[in-house]
Coordinates of all heavy atoms in Angstrom, one line a residue:
M1 N 0.9 -1.2 0.0 CA 0.0 0.0 0.0 C 0.9 1.2 0.0 O 1.8 1.3 0.8 CB -0.9 0.0 1.3 CG -2.4 0.2 1.0 SD -3.3 0.4 2.5 CE -3.3 -1.4 3.0
P2 N 0.5 2.2 -0.8 CA 1.4 3.4 -0.9 C 1.2 4.3 0.3 O 0.2 4.3 0.9 CB 1.0 4.1 -2.2 CG -0.4 3.5 -2.5 CD -0.5 2.2 -1.8
L3 N 2.2 5.0 0.6 CA 2.2 6.0 1.7 C 1.9 7.4 1.2 O 2.5 7.9 0.3 CB 3.6 6.0 2.4 CG 3.8 6.9 3.6 CD1 2.9 6.4 4.8 CD2 5.2 7.0 4.1
Y4 N 0.8 8.0 1.7 CA 0.4 9.3 1.3 C 0.6 10.3 2.4 O 0.5 10.0 3.6 CB -1.0 9.3 0.9 CG -1.3 8.5 -0.3 CD1 -1.9 7.2 -0.2 CD2 -1.0 8.9 -1.5 CE1 -2.1 6.4 -1.3 CE2 -1.2 8.1 -2.7 CZ -1.8 6.8 -2.6 OH -2.0 6.1 -3.6
E5 N 0.8 11.6 2.1 CA 1.0 12.6 3.0 C -0.3 13.5 3.0 O -0.6 13.9 1.9 CB 2.3 13.5 2.7 CG 2.6 14.4 3.8 CD 4.0 15.0 3.6 OE1 4.7 14.6 2.6 OE2 4.4 15.8 4.4
Y6 N -0.7 13.9 4.2 CA -1.9 14.7 4.2 C -1.6 15.9 5.1 O -0.8 15.9 6.0 CB -3.1 13.9 4.9 CG -3.5 12.8 4.1 CD1 -2.9 11.6 4.2 CD2 -4.6 12.9 3.1 CE1 -3.3 10.4 3.3 CE2 -5.0 11.8 2.4 CZ -4.3 10.7 2.5 OH -4.8 9.6 1.7
V7 N -2.4 17.0 4.8 CA -2.3 18.2 5.6 C -3.7 18.4 6.2 O -4.7 18.5 5.4 CB -1.9 19.5 4.7 CG1 -1.9 20.7 5.6 CG2 -0.6 19.2 4.0
C8 N -3.8 18.5 7.5 CA -5.1 18.7 8.2 C -5.6 20.1 8.0 O -4.9 21.1 8.1 CB -4.8 18.5 9.7 SG -6.4 18.7 10.6
G9 N -6.9 20.1 7.6 CA -7.5 21.4 7.4 C -8.0 22.1 8.7 O -8.4 23.3 8.7
G10 N -7.9 21.3 9.8 CA -8.3 21.9 11.0 C -7.2 22.5 11.8 O -7.3 23.7 12.3
C11 N -6.2 21.7 12.0 CA -5.0 22.2 12.8 C -3.8 22.4 12.1 O -2.8 22.9 12.6 CB -4.8 21.3 14.0 SG -4.1 19.7 13.5
G12 N -3.7 22.1 10.8 CA -2.6 22.3 9.9 C -1.5 21.3 10.1 O -0.5 21.5 9.5
A13 N -1.8 20.3 10.9 CA -0.7 19.2 11.0 C -0.6 18.4 9.7 O -1.5 18.3 8.9 CB -1.1 18.3 12.2
T14 N 0.7 18.0 9.5 CA 0.9 17.1 8.4 C 1.2 15.7 9.0 O 1.8 15.6 10.0 CB 2.1 17.5 7.5 OG1 3.2 17.6 8.4 CG2 1.8 18.9 7.0
F15 N 0.7 14.7 8.3 CA 0.9 13.3 8.7 C 0.9 12.4 7.5 O 0.3 12.7 6.4 CB -0.1 12.9 9.7 CG -1.6 13.1 9.3 CD1 -2.2 12.1 8.7 CD2 -2.2 14.3 9.4 CE1 -3.6 12.3 8.3 CE2 -3.4 14.5 8.9 CZ -4.2 13.5 8.4
D16 N 1.5 11.2 7.7 CA 1.6 10.2 6.6 C 0.6 9.1 7.0 O 0.4 8.9 8.2 CB 3.0 9.6 6.5 CG 4.0 10.7 6.1 OD1 3.6 11.5 5.3 OD2 5.1 10.5 6.6
M17 N 0.1 8.6 5.9 CA -0.8 7.5 6.2 C -0.8 6.4 5.0 O -0.7 6.9 3.8 CB -2.3 8.0 6.3 CG -3.3 6.9 6.6 SD -4.9 7.6 7.2 CE -4.4 8.3 8.8
L18 N -0.8 5.1 5.4 CA -0.8 4.2 4.4 C -2.3 3.9 4.0 O -3.1 3.6 4.8 CB -0.2 2.8 4.9 CG 1.3 2.8 5.0 CD1 1.7 1.6 5.9 CD2 1.9 2.6 3.7
R19 N -2.5 4.1 2.7 CA -3.9 3.8 2.2 C -3.9 3.2 0.9 O -2.9 3.2 0.1 CB -4.6 5.2 2.1 CG -4.5 6.1 3.3 CD -5.5 7.3 3.2 NE -6.8 6.9 3.7 CZ -7.9 7.8 3.7 NH1 -7.7 8.9 3.0 NH2 -9.0 7.5 4.2
S20 N -5.0 2.6 0.6 CA -5.2 2.0 -0.7 C -5.3 3.1 -1.8 O -5.8 4.2 -1.5 CB -6.4 1.1 -0.8 OG -7.5 1.8 -0.6
F21 N -4.9 2.8 -3.0 CA -4.8 3.8 -4.0 C -6.2 4.4 -4.3 O -6.4 5.7 -4.5 CB -4.4 3.1 -5.3 CG -4.1 4.1 -6.5 CD1 -3.0 4.9 -6.4 CD2 -5.0 4.2 -7.4 CE1 -2.8 5.8 -7.4 CE2 -4.8 5.1 -8.5 CZ -3.6 5.9 -8.5
S22 N -7.3 3.6 -4.1 CA -8.6 4.1 -4.4 C -9.1 5.1 -3.3 O -10.0 5.8 -3.6 CB -9.6 3.0 -4.5 OG -9.6 2.3 -3.3
K23 N -8.5 5.0 -2.2 CA -8.9 6.0 -1.1 C -7.9 7.1 -0.9 O -8.1 7.9 0.1 CB -9.0 5.2 0.2 CG -10.2 4.2 0.2 CD -10.4 3.6 1.6 CE -11.6 2.7 1.6 NZ -11.9 2.1 2.9
A24 N -7.0 7.2 -1.8 CA -6.0 8.2 -1.6 C -6.4 9.7 -1.5 O -5.9 10.4 -0.7 CB -4.9 8.2 -2.7
D25 N -7.5 10.0 -2.3 CA -8.0 11.4 -2.2 C -9.1 11.6 -1.2 O -9.6 12.7 -1.2 CB -8.5 11.7 -3.6 CG -7.2 11.9 -4.6 OD1 -6.3 12.4 -4.1 OD2 -7.4 11.5 -5.7
E26 N -9.4 10.6 -0.4 CA -10.5 10.8 0.6 C -9.8 11.4 1.8 O -8.7 11.2 2.0 CB -11.1 9.5 0.9 CG -11.9 8.8 -0.2 CD -12.6 7.6 0.2 OE1 -12.6 7.3 1.5 OE2 -13.0 6.8 -0.6
P27 N -10.6 12.3 2.5 CA -10.0 12.9 3.7 C -9.6 11.9 4.7 O -10.3 10.8 4.9 CB -11.2 13.7 4.3 CG -12.1 13.9 3.1 CD -12.0 12.7 2.2
A28 N -8.4 12.0 5.3 CA -7.9 11.1 6.3 C -8.1 11.6 7.6 O -8.0 12.9 7.9 CB -6.4 10.8 6.0
P29 N -8.4 10.9 8.7 CA -8.5 11.4 10.0 C -7.2 11.9 10.6 O -6.2 11.3 10.5 CB -9.0 10.2 10.8 CG -8.6 9.0 10.1 CD -8.6 9.5 8.6
C30 N -7.2 13.2 11.1 CA -6.0 13.8 11.7 C -5.7 13.1 13.0 O -6.6 13.0 13.9 CB -6.3 15.2 11.8 SG -4.9 16.1 12.7
P31 N -4.4 12.7 13.2 CA -4.1 12.0 14.4 C -4.0 13.0 15.6 O -4.0 12.6 16.8 CB -2.6 11.4 14.1 CG -2.2 12.2 13.0 CD -3.4 12.7 12.2
A32 N -3.9 14.3 15.3 CA -3.8 15.3 16.3 C -5.2 15.8 16.8 O -5.4 15.9 18.0 CB -3.0 16.5 15.8
C33 N -6.1 16.1 15.8 CA -7.4 16.7 16.3 C -8.5 15.9 15.8 O -9.7 16.2 16.1 CB -7.5 18.1 15.7 SG -7.7 18.3 13.9
H34 N -8.2 14.8 15.1 CA -9.2 13.9 14.6 C -10.3 14.5 13.6 O -11.3 13.8 13.4 CB -10.0 13.2 15.8 CG -9.1 12.6 16.8 ND1 -8.4 11.4 16.5 CD2 -8.7 13.0 18.0 CE1 -7.6 11.2 17.6 NE2 -7.7 12.1 18.5
A35 N -10.0 15.6 13.1 CA -10.8 16.2 12.0 C -10.6 15.4 10.7 O -9.6 15.0 10.4 CB -10.5 17.6 11.9
Q36 N -11.7 15.2 10.0 CA -11.5 14.5 8.8 C -11.7 15.4 7.6 O -12.5 15.2 6.7 CB -12.6 13.3 8.6 CG -12.5 12.3 9.7 CD -12.8 11.0 9.3 OE1 -12.8 10.6 8.2 NE2 -13.0 10.1 10.3
I37 N -11.0 16.5 7.7 CA -11.1 17.6 6.6 C -9.6 17.7 6.1 O -9.3 18.9 5.6 CB -11.6 18.8 7.1 CG1 -10.9 19.3 8.4 CG2 -13.1 18.7 7.4 CD1 -11.4 20.6 8.9
S38 N -8.8 16.7 6.1 CA -7.5 16.8 5.6 C -7.4 16.8 4.1 O -8.3 16.2 3.4 CB -6.6 15.7 6.1 OG -7.1 14.5 5.8
K39 N -6.4 17.4 3.5 CA -6.2 17.3 2.1 C -4.9 16.5 1.9 O -3.9 16.6 2.6 CB -6.0 18.7 1.5 CG -7.4 19.4 1.3 CD -7.2 20.7 0.7 CE -8.5 21.4 0.5 NZ -8.3 22.7 -0.2
R40 N -4.9 15.8 0.7 CA -3.6 15.1 0.4 C -2.6 16.0 -0.1 O -2.8 16.9 -1.1 CB -3.9 14.0 -0.7 CG -2.7 13.1 -0.8 CD -3.1 11.8 -1.4 NE -3.7 11.8 -2.7 CZ -3.0 11.6 -3.8 NH1 -1.7 11.3 -3.8 NH2 -3.5 11.7 -5.0
A41 N -1.4 16.0 0.5 CA -0.3 16.8 0.1 C 0.4 16.1 -1.1 O 0.2 15.0 -1.4 CB 0.7 16.9 1.2
I42 N 1.2 16.9 -1.8 CA 2.0 16.3 -2.9 C 2.9 15.3 -2.3 O 3.8 15.5 -1.4 CB 2.8 17.4 -3.6 CG1 1.9 18.4 -4.1 CG2 3.6 16.8 -4.7 CD1 0.9 17.9 -5.1
S43 N 2.7 14.0 -2.8 CA 3.6 12.9 -2.2 C 5.0 13.1 -2.7 O 5.2 13.7 -3.8 CB 2.9 11.6 -2.6 OG 3.2 11.3 -4.0
R44 N 5.8 12.3 -2.1 CA 7.2 12.3 -2.5 C 7.4 11.7 -3.8 O 8.3 12.0 -4.5 CB 8.1 11.5 -1.4 CG 8.1 12.2 0.0 CD 8.8 11.5 0.9 NE 8.7 11.9 2.2 CZ 7.7 11.4 3.1 NH1 7.0 10.4 2.7 NH2 7.6 11.9 4.3
F45 N 6.5 10.7 -4.2 CA 6.5 10.0 -5.4 C 6.1 11.0 -6.5 O 6.8 11.0 -7.6 CB 5.6 8.8 -5.5 CG 5.7 8.0 -4.3 CD1 4.8 8.0 -3.3 CD2 6.8 7.1 -4.1 CE1 4.9 7.2 -2.1 CE2 6.9 6.4 -3.0 CZ 6.0 6.4 -2.0
A46 N 5.1 11.8 -6.3 CA 4.6 12.7 -7.3 C 5.5 13.9 -7.6 O 5.3 14.8 -8.5 CB 3.2 13.2 -7.0
A47 N 6.6 14.1 -6.7 CA 7.5 15.2 -6.8 C 8.4 15.0 -8.1 O 9.0 16.0 -8.5 CB 8.3 15.4 -5.6
H48 N 8.3 13.9 -8.6 CA 9.2 13.6 -9.8 C 8.3 13.1 -11.0 O 7.4 12.3 -10.7 CB 10.3 12.6 -9.5 CG 11.3 13.2 -8.6 ND1 11.2 13.1 -7.2 CD2 12.4 13.8 -8.8 CE1 12.2 13.7 -6.7 NE2 13.1 14.1 -7.6
V49 N 8.5 13.5 -12.2 CA 7.8 13.1 -13.3 C 8.7 12.3 -14.2 O 10.0 12.7 -14.2 CB 7.1 14.2 -14.1 CG1 6.0 14.9 -13.3 CG2 8.1 15.2 -14.5
H50 N 8.2 11.4 -14.9 CA 9.0 10.7 -15.8 C 8.8 11.1 -17.2 O 7.7 11.2 -17.8 CB 8.7 9.2 -15.8 CG 9.1 8.5 -14.4 ND1 10.4 8.1 -14.1 CD2 8.4 8.3 -13.4 CE1 10.4 7.6 -13.0 NE2 9.2 7.7 -12.4
G51 N 9.9 11.6 -17.8 CA 9.9 12.1 -19.2 C 9.8 11.1 -20.2 O 9.8 9.8 -19.9
S52 N 9.4 11.4 -21.4 CA 9.1 10.5 -22.4 C 10.5 9.6 -22.8 O 10.3 8.5 -23.3 CB 8.6 11.1 -23.6 OG 9.5 12.1 -24.1
D53 N 11.5 10.2 -22.4 CA 12.8 9.5 -22.7 C 13.2 8.6 -21.7 O 14.3 8.1 -21.6 CB 13.9 10.6 -23.2 CG 14.1 11.6 -22.0 OD1 13.4 11.6 -21.1 OD2 15.1 12.3 -22.1
G54 N 12.5 8.6 -20.6 CA 12.8 7.8 -19.4 C 13.5 8.5 -18.3 O 13.7 7.9 -17.3
A55 N 14.0 9.7 -18.6 CA 14.7 10.5 -17.6 C 13.7 11.0 -16.5 O 12.5 11.3 -16.7 CB 15.4 11.7 -18.3
T56 N 14.2 11.1 -15.3 CA 13.4 11.6 -14.2 C 13.8 13.0 -14.0 O 15.0 13.4 -13.8 CB 13.7 10.8 -12.9 OG1 13.4 9.4 -13.2 CG2 12.9 11.3 -11.8
T57 N 12.8 13.9 -14.1 CA 13.0 15.3 -13.9 C 12.3 15.8 -12.7 O 11.1 15.5 -12.4 CB 12.5 16.1 -15.2 OG1 13.0 15.5 -16.4 CG2 12.8 17.6 -15.1
S58 N 13.0 16.6 -11.9 CA 12.4 17.2 -10.8 C 11.5 18.3 -11.1 O 11.9 19.3 -11.8 CB 13.5 17.8 -9.8 OG 13.0 18.4 -8.7
V59 N 10.3 18.3 -10.7 CA 9.3 19.3 -10.9 C 9.6 20.6 -10.2 O 9.5 21.7 -10.7 CB 7.8 18.9 -10.7 CG1 6.9 20.0 -10.8 CG2 7.4 17.7 -11.5
A60 N 10.1 20.3 -8.9 CA 10.4 21.5 -8.1 C 11.6 22.3 -8.6 O 11.7 23.5 -8.3 CB 10.7 21.0 -6.7
G61 N 12.4 21.8 -9.4 CA 13.5 22.4 -9.9 C 13.1 23.4 -10.9 O 13.9 24.5 -11.1
G62 N 12.1 23.3 -11.7 CA 11.6 24.3 -12.6 C 12.2 24.2 -13.9 O 11.9 25.0 -14.8
G63 N 13.2 23.3 -14.1 CA 13.8 23.2 -15.4 C 13.0 22.5 -16.4 O 12.2 21.7 -16.2
S64 N 13.1 23.1 -17.6 CA 12.3 22.5 -18.7 C 13.1 21.5 -19.5 O 12.6 20.9 -20.4 CB 11.7 23.6 -19.7 OG 12.8 24.4 -20.2
C65 N 14.4 21.4 -19.2 CA 15.3 20.6 -20.0 C 15.6 19.3 -19.3 O 15.7 19.3 -18.0 CB 16.5 21.3 -20.2 SG 17.9 20.3 -20.9
A66 N 15.4 18.2 -20.0 CA 15.6 16.9 -19.4 C 17.1 16.5 -19.4 O 17.4 15.5 -18.9 CB 14.8 15.8 -20.1
G67 N 17.9 17.3 -20.1 CA 19.3 17.0 -20.3 C 20.2 17.5 -19.1 O 21.4 17.1 -19.1
C68 N 19.7 18.3 -18.3 CA 20.5 18.8 -17.2 C 19.8 18.6 -15.9 O 18.5 18.7 -15.8 CB 21.0 20.1 -17.4 SG 19.6 21.3 -17.6
A69 N 20.5 18.5 -14.8 CA 19.9 18.3 -13.5 C 19.7 19.7 -12.8 O 18.9 19.8 -11.9 CB 20.7 17.4 -12.7
S70 N 20.4 20.7 -13.1 CA 20.4 21.9 -12.4 C 19.1 22.8 -12.7 O 18.7 23.5 -11.9 CB 21.6 22.7 -12.6 OG 21.7 23.2 -13.9
G71 N 18.6 22.6 -13.9 CA 17.5 23.5 -14.3 C 17.9 24.8 -15.0 O 17.1 25.5 -15.6
S72 N 19.1 25.1 -14.9 CA 19.6 26.3 -15.5 C 20.1 26.1 -16.9 O 20.3 27.0 -17.7 CB 20.7 26.9 -14.7 OG 21.8 26.0 -14.7
C73 N 20.3 24.8 -17.3 CA 20.7 24.4 -18.6 C 22.2 25.0 -18.9 O 22.6 25.1 -20.1 CB 19.8 24.8 -19.7 SG 18.2 24.0 -19.7
A74 N 22.9 25.4 -17.8 CA 24.2 25.9 -18.0 C 25.2 24.8 -18.5 O 26.2 25.1 -19.1 CB 24.8 26.5 -16.8
G75 N 24.8 23.5 -18.2 CA 25.7 22.5 -18.4 C 25.5 21.9 -19.8 O 26.3 21.3 -20.4
C76 N 24.2 22.0 -20.3 CA 23.9 21.3 -21.5 C 23.6 22.3 -22.7 O 23.4 21.8 -23.8 CB 22.7 20.3 -21.4 SG 21.2 21.2 -21.0
H77 N 23.7 23.5 -22.4 CA 23.5 24.7 -23.4 C 22.3 24.5 -24.2 O 22.1 24.8 -25.4 CB 24.7 24.6 -24.4 CG 26.0 24.7 -23.7 ND1 26.4 25.8 -23.0 CD2 27.0 23.7 -23.5 CE1 27.6 25.6 -22.4 NE2 27.9 24.4 -22.7
H78 N 21.1 24.2 -23.5 CA 19.8 24.2 -24.2 C 19.2 25.6 -24.1 O 19.4 26.3 -23.1 CB 18.8 23.3 -23.5 CG 19.0 21.8 -24.1 ND1 18.7 20.7 -23.4 CD2 19.4 21.4 -25.3 CE1 18.9 19.6 -24.0 NE2 19.4 20.0 -25.3
Ligands
ZN1 ZN1 -5.7 18.2 12.8

């Protein structure tokens, strides 16, 4: 079962929870205040996308080039 990260809409706490894929987007009970109004945070898995060429590119880096890791393209001259 995949591990998902949630942000509580009541107290703002973040917590991880193992859930089935079909229930990933359902609100999870907050372990701190027990409110069921949490939202799923961007998981660590979703922080990376797989390009068509098979390369893994970091979304957070903001780079549009799959040929360099820095995002500035200073190394690959794109
Ligand atoms: Zn809470």
